[in-house]
Amino acid sequence: MLNVSLKLLIFLNILYFLLQVCGSVILGVSIWIRVSKDVQQVNACSHTTTILFAGVDLLIAVGSIIMVLGFLGCCGAIKESRCMLLLFFIGLLLILILQITGGILGAVYRSQIETSLNKTLQASVNSLQSSTEESKAFQEKFQKFERMNQCCGLLNGPADWGKNFNANFGGKKICQCELEDLSPGHCIMFQGRLVYKQPCGHVIAEYVEDHLLIIMGIAFGLAVIEILGMGFSMSLYCQIQKK
């Protein structure tokens, strides 16, 4: 083996190890977000996490593939297999293209995504105002979500509850501000009683946005490692070809 390629081989093995670690981290974080109790509660109360789940599912797939590619690249470097190195390069290239495409589509269709989110929230508002048995089950879950996050309604605050505003769930009034929550600007007076001021739609939107930022940060960091892996694997591929 050439001296230059020996140094390159050592560096590549370190890089492949990092890919394995990154794949494991991405897989772990993605699964954690997917099964998180908070995400499940948000989804049960608003059905708005479809976009978030799509990004998480994509990262789960990417994390799994990255782990396989890391092993493939490591074996290719040790055995000086041009075929394995080429497959490794192509695999990373396809994942990188997929990430870039997803980022571009997300930026281009951001307004449509926001519109879809608002439509979903509006459908949930209709469920808050309904009197069917299915809607009552949803309302009970949402009332717990309101108390936990100290918010009320989805888009227009307490008005979203309509005629159901004075209903009781578990002996507690809808959106009722607790005594310890009576801070300035936190509660407002509505129909003769103090209720939480912030609509839950803001809480849900912020939650989805924060987790999407985590996904984007992971994807960006992974892209840097992917580019390095592609460059060095192709360099070793060319050296093996010349040997």
Side-chain angles (χ1 to χ4, degrees):
M1 182 181 296
L2 300 174
N3 291 331
V4 176
S5 63
L6 178 59
K7 295 179 180 178
L8 186 58
L9 177 62
I10 295 173
F11 185 83
L12 271 174
N13 282 323
I14 295 174
L15 187 61
Y16 297 146
F17 174 75
L18 289 177
L19 279 173
Q20 291 276 22
V21 173
C22 286
S24 301
V25 171
I26 291 171
L27 199 58
V29 172
S30 301
I31 293 175
W32 171 76
I33 294 177
R34 192 68 169 80
V35 301
S36 170
K37 183 179 179 181
D38 292 336
V39 173
Q40 300 303 325
Q41 287 179 339
V42 170
N43 187 48
C45 294
S46 62
H47 309 293
T48 59
T49 49
T50 303
I51 300 170
L52 178 60
F53 280 166
V56 171
D57 290 342
L58 178 61
L59 278 184
I60 290 176
V62 168
S64 302
I65 296 172
I66 284 293
M67 292 181 67
V68 174
L69 286 177
F71 177 76
L72 182 66
C74 184
C75 291
I78 293 174
K79 295 183 178 181
E80 295 188 347
S81 171
R82 292 171 56 199
C83 180
M84 287 184 177
L85 289 173
L86 185 59
L87 288 174
F88 174 76
F89 176 86
I90 294 174
L92 286 185
L93 180 61
L94 291 176
I95 292 177
L96 186 60
I97 292 174
L98 183 63
Q99 290 175 222
I100 294 174
T101 302
I104 293 174
L105 290 176
V108 172
Y109 293 103
R110 182 176 180 179
S111 59
Q112 286 90 331
I113 292 173
E114 292 177 353
T115 301
S116 176
L117 179 62
N118 288 331
K119 287 182 179 179
T120 305
L121 290 175
Q122 185 59 55
S124 298
V125 169
N126 295 335
S127 296
L128 292 181
Q129 299 176 359
S130 177
S131 58
T132 64
E133 290 300 321
E134 183 179 352
S135 296
K136 287 181 180 179
F138 170 76
Q139 291 164 11
E140 186 174 357
K141 289 181 181 179
F142 188 72
Q143 166 69 349
K144 294 178 181 178
F145 181 82
E146 287 180 324
R147 290 200 303 268
M148 182 180 299
N149 294 277
Q150 298 183 347
C151 57
C152 185
L154 280 166
L155 296 174
N156 306 302
D160 287 340
W161 280 93
K163 295 180 180 180
N164 294 324
F165 175 71
N166 292 315
N168 288 332
F169 292 98
K172 295 186 178 181
K173 294 182 178 180
I174 291 173
C175 301
Q176 183 70 40
C177 266
E178 304 294 339
L179 292 176
E180 60 268 20
D181 299 329
L182 299 180
S183 55
H186 190 72
C187 303
I188 58 173
M189 185 68 70
F190 185 83
Q191 294 187 9
R193 59 189 180 90
L194 283 171
V195 297
Y196 296 121
K197 180 180 179 180
Q198 179 179 223
C200 293
H202 294 170
V203 176
I204 294 170
E206 288 178 2
Y207 187 86
V208 173
E209 183 178 350
D210 289 344
H211 282 74
L212 284 177
L213 286 175
I214 293 175
I215 293 173
M216 290 173 60
I218 293 174
F220 178 78
L222 180 61
V224 175
I225 297 178
E226 287 169 352
I227 293 173
L228 287 173
M230 289 167 56
F232 285 104
S233 63
M234 186 50 60
S235 177
L236 182 58
Y237 175 90
C238 294
Q239 289 194 32
I240 293 174
Q241 186 177 23
K242 293 177 182 179
K243 185 178 177 181

